[in-house]
Coordinates of all heavy atoms in Angstrom, one line a residue:
M122 N 2.8 25.1 -61.3 CA 2.7 24.5 -62.5 C 1.2 24.1 -62.7 O 0.5 23.7 -61.8 CB 3.6 23.2 -62.5 CG 3.6 22.5 -63.9 SD 4.6 21.0 -64.0 CE 6.1 21.5 -63.5
G123 N 0.8 24.2 -63.9 CA -0.6 23.9 -64.2 C -0.8 23.6 -65.7 O 0.0 24.0 -66.5
I124 N -1.9 22.9 -66.0 CA -2.2 22.5 -67.4 C -3.5 23.2 -67.7 O -4.4 23.2 -66.9 CB -2.3 21.0 -67.5 CG1 -0.9 20.4 -67.2 CG2 -2.7 20.6 -68.9 CD1 -0.9 18.9 -67.1
S125 N -3.6 23.7 -69.0 CA -4.8 24.3 -69.4 C -6.0 23.3 -69.4 O -5.8 22.1 -69.4 CB -4.6 24.9 -70.8 OG -4.4 23.8 -71.8
R129 N -3.7 21.1 -73.6 CA -2.8 21.4 -74.7 C -1.6 22.3 -74.3 O -0.6 22.3 -75.0 CB -3.5 22.1 -75.9 CG -4.6 21.2 -76.4 CD -5.5 22.1 -77.2 NE -5.6 21.7 -78.6 CZ -6.3 22.4 -79.5 NH1 -6.9 23.5 -79.1 NH2 -6.4 22.0 -80.7
T130 N -1.7 22.9 -73.1 CA -0.6 23.9 -72.7 C -0.2 23.7 -71.3 O -1.1 23.5 -70.4 CB -1.1 25.3 -72.9 OG1 -1.6 25.5 -74.2 CG2 0.0 26.3 -72.7
L131 N 1.0 23.7 -71.0 CA 1.6 23.6 -69.7 C 2.0 25.0 -69.3 O 2.7 25.7 -70.0 CB 2.8 22.7 -69.6 CG 3.6 22.6 -68.3 CD1 2.7 21.9 -67.2 CD2 4.9 21.9 -68.5
F132 N 1.6 25.5 -68.1 CA 2.0 26.8 -67.6 C 2.9 26.6 -66.3 O 2.6 25.7 -65.5 CB 0.8 27.6 -67.2 CG -0.1 28.0 -68.3 CD1 -1.2 27.2 -68.7 CD2 0.2 29.1 -69.1 CE1 -2.0 27.5 -69.7 CE2 -0.6 29.4 -70.2 CZ -1.7 28.6 -70.5
Y133 N 4.0 27.4 -66.2 CA 4.8 27.2 -65.0 C 5.5 28.5 -64.7 O 5.6 29.4 -65.6 CB 5.9 26.1 -65.3 CG 6.8 26.4 -66.4 CD1 8.1 26.9 -66.1 CD2 6.5 26.1 -67.7 CE1 9.0 27.2 -67.1 CE2 7.4 26.4 -68.7 CZ 8.7 26.9 -68.4 OH 9.5 27.2 -69.4
F134 N 6.0 28.6 -63.5 CA 6.8 29.8 -63.0 C 8.3 29.5 -63.2 O 8.8 28.4 -62.9 CB 6.6 30.0 -61.5 CG 5.2 30.6 -61.2 CD1 4.2 29.8 -60.8 CD2 5.0 32.0 -61.4 CE1 3.0 30.3 -60.5 CE2 3.7 32.5 -61.2 CZ 2.7 31.7 -60.7
D135 N 9.0 30.5 -63.6 CA 10.5 30.4 -63.7 C 11.0 31.8 -63.4 O 10.8 32.7 -64.1 CB 10.9 29.9 -65.0 CG 12.4 29.7 -65.1 OD1 13.1 29.6 -64.1 OD2 13.0 29.6 -66.3
R136 N 11.7 31.9 -62.3 CA 12.3 33.2 -61.8 C 11.3 34.3 -61.8 O 11.5 35.3 -62.5 CB 13.5 33.5 -62.7 CG 14.6 32.5 -62.6 CD 15.9 33.0 -63.3 NE 16.8 32.0 -63.3 CZ 17.3 31.4 -64.4 NH1 16.9 31.7 -65.6 NH2 18.2 30.4 -64.3
N137 N 10.2 34.1 -61.1 CA 9.1 35.1 -61.0 C 8.4 35.5 -62.2 O 7.8 36.6 -62.3 CB 9.6 36.3 -60.2 CG 10.0 36.0 -58.8 OD1 9.4 35.2 -58.2 ND2 11.1 36.7 -58.3
E138 N 8.5 34.7 -63.3 CA 7.8 34.9 -64.5 C 7.0 33.7 -64.9 O 7.3 32.6 -64.5 CB 8.7 35.3 -65.6 CG 9.4 36.7 -65.3 CD 10.3 37.2 -66.5 OE1 10.4 36.4 -67.5 OE2 10.8 38.3 -66.3
I139 N 5.9 33.9 -65.7 CA 5.1 32.8 -66.1 C 5.4 32.4 -67.5 O 5.4 33.3 -68.4 CB 3.6 33.1 -65.9 CG1 3.3 33.4 -64.4 CG2 2.7 32.0 -66.4 CD1 1.9 33.9 -64.2
Y140 N 5.5 31.2 -67.8 CA 5.8 30.7 -69.2 C 4.8 29.6 -69.5 O 4.2 29.0 -68.7 CB 7.2 30.1 -69.3 CG 8.3 31.1 -69.1 CD1 8.8 31.4 -67.9 CD2 8.7 31.8 -70.2 CE1 9.8 32.3 -67.7 CE2 9.8 32.7 -70.1 CZ 10.3 33.0 -68.8 OH 11.3 33.9 -68.7
S141 N 4.6 29.4 -70.9 CA 3.7 28.3 -71.3 C 4.5 27.5 -72.4 O 5.4 28.0 -73.0 CB 2.5 28.9 -72.0 OG 2.8 29.6 -73.2
I142 N 4.1 26.2 -72.4 CA 4.7 25.3 -73.4 C 3.6 24.5 -74.0 O 2.8 23.9 -73.3 CB 5.7 24.3 -72.7 CG1 6.8 25.0 -72.1 CG2 6.2 23.3 -73.7 CD1 7.7 24.0 -71.3
P143 N 3.5 24.5 -75.3 CA 2.4 23.6 -76.0 C 2.8 22.2 -75.7 O 3.9 21.8 -75.9 CB 2.5 24.0 -77.4 CG 3.8 24.6 -77.6 CD 4.3 25.2 -76.3
L144 N 1.8 21.4 -75.4 CA 2.0 20.0 -75.1 C 1.7 19.1 -76.3 O 2.3 18.0 -76.4 CB 1.1 19.5 -73.9 CG 1.5 20.2 -72.6 CD1 0.5 19.7 -71.5 CD2 2.9 19.9 -72.2
G154 N 6.5 17.6 -71.9 CA 6.5 19.1 -72.2 C 7.5 19.8 -71.3 O 8.2 20.7 -71.6
A155 N 7.5 19.3 -70.0 CA 8.4 19.9 -69.1 C 9.9 19.6 -69.5 O 10.8 20.5 -69.3 CB 8.2 19.4 -67.6
R157 N 10.9 19.3 -72.5 CA 11.2 20.1 -73.7 C 11.4 21.6 -73.4 O 11.6 22.4 -74.3 CB 10.1 20.0 -74.7 CG 10.0 18.6 -75.4 CD 9.1 18.7 -76.6 NE 7.8 19.3 -76.3 CZ 6.7 18.7 -76.2 NH1 6.6 17.4 -76.2 NH2 5.6 19.4 -76.0
A158 N 11.2 22.0 -72.1 CA 11.3 23.4 -71.7 C 12.5 24.1 -72.2 O 12.5 25.3 -72.6 CB 11.1 23.6 -70.2
G159 N 13.6 23.4 -72.3 CA 14.9 24.0 -72.7 C 15.0 24.1 -74.2 O 16.0 24.6 -74.8
E160 N 14.0 23.6 -75.0 CA 14.1 23.5 -76.4 C 13.7 24.8 -77.1 O 13.7 24.9 -78.3 CB 13.3 22.4 -77.0 CG 13.8 21.0 -76.6 CD 12.9 19.9 -77.1 OE1 12.0 20.2 -77.9 OE2 13.1 18.8 -76.6
G161 N 13.3 25.8 -76.3 CA 12.9 27.1 -76.9 C 11.4 27.1 -77.3 O 11.0 28.1 -77.9
G162 N 10.6 26.1 -77.0 CA 9.2 26.2 -77.2 C 8.4 26.9 -76.2 O 7.2 27.1 -76.4
R163 N 9.1 27.4 -75.2 CA 8.3 28.2 -74.2 C 8.0 29.6 -74.6 O 8.8 30.2 -75.4 CB 9.1 28.1 -72.9 CG 10.3 29.0 -72.8 CD 10.9 28.8 -71.4 NE 12.0 29.8 -71.2 CZ 12.6 30.1 -70.1 NH1 12.2 29.4 -69.0 NH2 13.5 31.0 -70.0
R164 N 6.9 30.1 -74.1 CA 6.5 31.5 -74.4 C 6.2 32.2 -73.1 O 5.5 31.7 -72.2 CB 5.3 31.4 -75.2 CG 4.9 32.8 -75.8 CD 3.7 32.7 -76.6 NE 2.6 33.0 -75.6 CZ 1.4 32.7 -75.6 NH1 0.9 32.0 -76.6 NH2 0.5 33.0 -74.7
R165 N 6.8 33.4 -72.9 CA 6.6 34.2 -71.7 C 5.2 34.8 -71.7 O 4.8 35.3 -72.8 CB 7.6 35.2 -71.5 CG 7.5 36.0 -70.3 CD 8.7 36.9 -70.1 NE 8.5 37.9 -69.0 CZ 8.5 39.2 -69.1 NH1 8.8 39.7 -70.3 NH2 8.2 39.9 -68.1
I166 N 4.5 34.7 -70.6 CA 3.1 35.2 -70.6 C 3.2 36.6 -69.9 O 3.7 36.7 -68.8 CB 2.2 34.3 -69.7 CG1 2.2 32.9 -70.2 CG2 0.8 34.9 -69.6 CD1 1.6 32.7 -71.6
N167 N 2.8 37.6 -70.6 CA 2.8 39.0 -70.1 C 1.3 39.4 -69.7 O 0.4 39.1 -70.5 CB 3.3 40.0 -71.2 CG 4.7 39.7 -71.5 OD1 5.6 39.6 -70.6 ND2 5.0 39.6 -72.8
F168 N 1.2 40.0 -68.6 CA -0.1 40.5 -68.2 C 0.1 41.7 -67.2 O 1.1 41.8 -66.5 CB -1.0 39.4 -67.6 CG -0.5 38.8 -66.4 CD1 -0.9 39.3 -65.2 CD2 0.4 37.7 -66.5 CE1 -0.4 38.7 -64.0 CE2 0.9 37.2 -65.3 CZ 0.5 37.6 -64.1

Side-chain angles (χ1 to χ4, degrees):
M122 186 179 307
I124 298 175
S125 64
R129 298 161 121 183
T130 308
L131 172 72
F132 296 94
Y133 65 95
F134 287 101
D135 184 16
R136 296 188 187 117
N137 294 326
E138 295 185 356
I139 300 174
Y140 292 91
S141 69
I142 299 174
L144 295 177
R157 289 193 313 255
E160 296 177 9
R163 74 181 189 168
R164 192 185 88 204
R165 184 170 169 239
I166 306 296
N167 296 311
F168 63 93

